[in-house]
Amino acid sequence: MARSSGGSAGAFVAGLTAAALAAVAFLAYQASAAADRVPDDGPEARKSASASPGGDGGTDDARPGRPPLPAGSGDGERVVYALDAQRVWLVGTGEQVTRTYRVWPSSVSPPPGEYRVSSRSARVTGSDGVPVENVVRFASVDGTTVGFSAALDGSRPDPEPGERTGGVRQRRADGEAMWLFADVGTTVVVVP
C-alpha cells in the first residue's frame, strides 16, 4: 500500500511540475509578445513596416482613432514629423499614409520647415551613449544633428539635464519602417 501511494504522489507531483512549467512558458511567451507589440500602432502598422514607399502596406489613418495627416504638411512622398503631437507619418505616392506612429522627441528640435535626409547609418552610438540603429539624419540645429533612430535595447531617451541631443527615438519596428522608407534625399517636413 505505501508503495502505490508513493507512486501516486510522485505522479501527482510530476503532473503539477509539468503544469507549472507549461504555465511559466505560456506567461514568458505572452511577455515576449507584449514587448514586441507596438501598442500605439497595432498589427496593420507593423505589417506596413515592410511595405515600400507608396506600397499597399495599409493606411493607419483609415482606421478609427488614427490621427489624420496634418494640414499644410507638404505634398509628394515625404516624412512628416509633428513636434507637438510627437508623431511621424510616412507618406507615399498619392498622399497614401503607409505608417504613422508616436516618437520620443530629442532635447533639440528643428524649427518647422522642409528638410532632406542628409545621411543614414545602420548602427552607431547615439549622442546619449545608447547604441542605436536605423539612423536617418535630416537637420542640424546649432551644431546638433537631428535624426530619427531606434535604441537597440528598446529604451526611451533619458538625457542628462541640459544635454543637447538630436535623436528622435522610435520603437525598433518603426525605425525599420523609417529606414526602408527614407533614403538620402527624401523630404522631411517638420510641422509645429
Side-chain angles (χ1 to χ4, degrees), residues 38-173:
V38 182
D40 191 17
D41 295 310
E44 282 302 312
R46 287 191 301 278
K47 182 171 87 174
S48 71
S50 62
S52 62
D56 58 355
T59 301
D60 291 336
D61 290 336
R63 294 178 308 169
R66 288 289 154 231
L69 186 62
S73 61
D75 56 7
E77 293 185 22
R78 65 197 182 282
V79 174
V80 176
Y81 174 32
L83 298 171
D84 293 342
Q86 299 178 5
R87 179 169 284 276
V88 164
W89 290 260
L90 305 182
V91 185
T93 57
E95 296 302 293
Q96 175 79 21
V97 174
T98 61
R99 189 179 187 97
T100 182
Y101 54 90
R102 292 191 46 101
V103 296
W104 294 281
S106 56
S107 63
V108 175
S109 295
E114 186 173 302
Y115 302 87
R116 299 250 179 228
V117 173
S118 56
S119 67
R120 297 169 12 125
S121 297
R123 287 195 175 173
V124 297
T125 299
S127 55
D128 58 359
V130 175
V132 294
E133 66 182 352
N134 298 323
V135 180
V136 176
R137 299 175 197 89
F138 65 92
S140 181
V141 178
D142 298 327
T144 300
T145 302
V146 180
F148 303 104
S149 64
L152 291 175
D153 66 3
S155 66
R156 298 176 182 186
D158 187 22
E160 296 293 323
E163 185 178 3
R164 295 179 55 83
T165 62
V168 179
R169 199 61 55 81
Q170 310 168 103
R171 292 176 185 90
R172 291 187 76 185

